[in-house]
Amino acid sequence: MASGLTCGTIVPVIPDFHTHTHFSFDSQALPEEVCRAAVARGMPEVALTDHMDLNPLDGGYGYFRPEAHWQGLQDCRAQLDGRVRVHIGLECGEPHLFREGLSGILAAHEYDVVLGSIHWVGHRPVETAEFFDGLDFQEGIELYLEELACLAEEGDYDILAHPDIIRRAVFHRFGRTDLDWTPYEAPMRRVLRVVAGRGKALEVNTSYRRRGMGPPGPSIQVLRWFREEGGRWVTLGSDAHRPEDVGADFGEALDMVRAAGFEGVAVFRQRRPYRVPI
Ligand SMILES: [Zn+2]
Ligand SMILES: [Zn+2]
């Protein structure tokens, strides 16, 4: 584990396990640039987790080319050999709904990590104000948590990515940068219990900060619930779509993970978690 000395304290450099390259429909970044950004931040490893969307509603539907992606990232891995360990991952939207398609893609190559994400609940996009059309605040949050529970239980994933992504819709609809999960403790704990029981990881996603939507998430409270439910694995992800965002706000995210009582974060190799002390 690479580390730097700051005022006598060893500060671990945590690998970014959620980044995008031009193999994602919404990124122009060259894989090599993303990896060089990780090297510049002192990361010993980084995961490239491009969108793989099988949901016809999604903007990324039909864009992902598994063979070109695999070969491109193998080339990138070879280029960066010795400087940073490059993990080849995928971010799959609604993996519980597209199990067959996903398993076909996963069978072809030895991926290191799969992020499971909710981007849609039925026809509702979780990242925009329209999510709440015809729903009040509570109905919307409960509907989101029901879908998240289905993903947690039935999806093939290693990391439950941005588990509080509904904050984006909350921000756009209600202008709020906070979301108090206390009224939804029971359904949120149900999700966390499943993730913990299946030995999967929960992601702390830092992209909210860059979007002016508040701190990384989920909150310390949710991370504590995850630990209480038996959760062992937490990862950090910037959700960078540009090289300059790799590892953004990881100091704040790391403080949150520590405050929740975790003494390590997870990295994945060939879909198996390994602990990095913090
Ligand atoms: Zn996502
Ligand atoms: Zn992403």
Side-chain angles (χ1 to χ4, degrees):
M1 189 75 227
S3 60
L5 285 176
T6 308
C7 304
T9 310
I10 294 175
V11 181
V13 181
I14 304 302
D16 195 333
F17 260 68
H18 189 158
T19 68
H20 295 274
T21 78
H22 66 169
F23 290 107
S24 295
F25 74 103
D26 54 359
S27 171
Q28 307 286 321
L30 293 174
E32 296 78 13
E33 292 174 338
V34 173
C35 294
R36 280 194 207 105
V39 171
R41 282 159 182 69
M43 291 179 190
E45 44 194 301
V46 64
L48 307 178
T49 54
D50 283 301
H51 288 295
M52 199 286 291
D53 288 300
L54 298 170
N55 190 334
L57 293 172
D58 201 273
Y61 179 70
Y63 185 87
F64 185 72
R65 295 282 178 271
E67 292 312 314
H69 169 256
W70 183 260
Q71 196 50 55
L73 295 198
Q74 286 290 3
D75 294 346
C76 171
R77 188 181 254 172
Q79 264 192 48
L80 273 292
D81 189 34
R83 283 187 281 168
V84 63
R85 190 166 179 162
V86 178
H87 301 296
I88 304 179
L90 296 173
E91 177 180 10
C92 182
E94 298 81 53
H96 55 301
L97 302 180
F98 306 98
R99 295 162 58 99
E100 235 172 78
L102 176 59
S103 71
I105 285 169
L106 293 180
H109 298 292
E110 201 166 21
Y111 292 95
D112 288 300
V113 64
V114 177
L115 310 189
S117 295
I118 296 284
H119 295 135
W120 295 84
V121 176
H123 65 282
R124 298 173 186 276
V126 298
E127 305 185 41
T128 68
E130 292 74 53
F131 178 86
F132 284 97
D133 284 356
L135 301 173
D136 66 24
F137 185 84
Q138 184 180 337
E139 287 168 340
I141 302 295
E142 287 174 354
L143 186 69
Y144 168 72
L145 285 171
E146 274 174 38
E147 195 71 26
L148 190 65
C150 293
L151 189 168
E153 283 169 21
E154 298 163 18
D156 182 1
Y157 64 94
D158 304 307
I159 301 170
L160 186 63
H162 46 58
D164 58 347
I165 193 173
I166 195 65
R167 282 173 57 192
R168 293 193 191 176
V170 168
F171 174 80
H172 290 300
R173 185 73 171 220
F174 303 101
R176 288 172 49 175
T177 55
D178 65 319
L179 204 171
D180 179 11
W181 289 96
T182 309
Y184 312 100
E185 178 174 349
M188 181 55 101
R189 275 190 185 268
R190 176 181 158 214
V191 170
L192 300 171
R193 197 175 307 131
V194 170
V195 176
R198 293 185 66 190
K200 309 294 186 189
L202 198 70
E203 176 186 85
V204 178
N205 188 295
T206 63
S207 68
Y208 305 103
R209 204 34 111 198
R210 300 196 301 280
R211 293 165 177 264
M213 295 181 185
S219 64
I220 295 170
Q221 180 187 44
V222 171
L223 291 170
R224 280 201 189 109
W225 292 342
F226 181 52
R227 206 166 65 84
E228 288 168 9
E229 296 296 341
R232 290 183 62 204
W233 306 107
V234 172
T235 59
L236 300 195
S238 67
D239 214 342
H241 287 67
R242 305 177 307 169
E244 55 266 42
D245 293 333
V246 171
D249 300 300
F250 270 24
E252 184 178 9
L254 194 56
D255 287 345
M256 291 169 61
V257 171
R258 285 186 175 129
F262 288 93
E263 294 176 346
V265 295
V267 294
F268 282 80
R269 296 165 196 156
Q270 294 167 343
R271 304 202 65 190
R272 289 176 53 186
Y274 296 85
R275 191 170 170 276
V276 175
I278 58 176

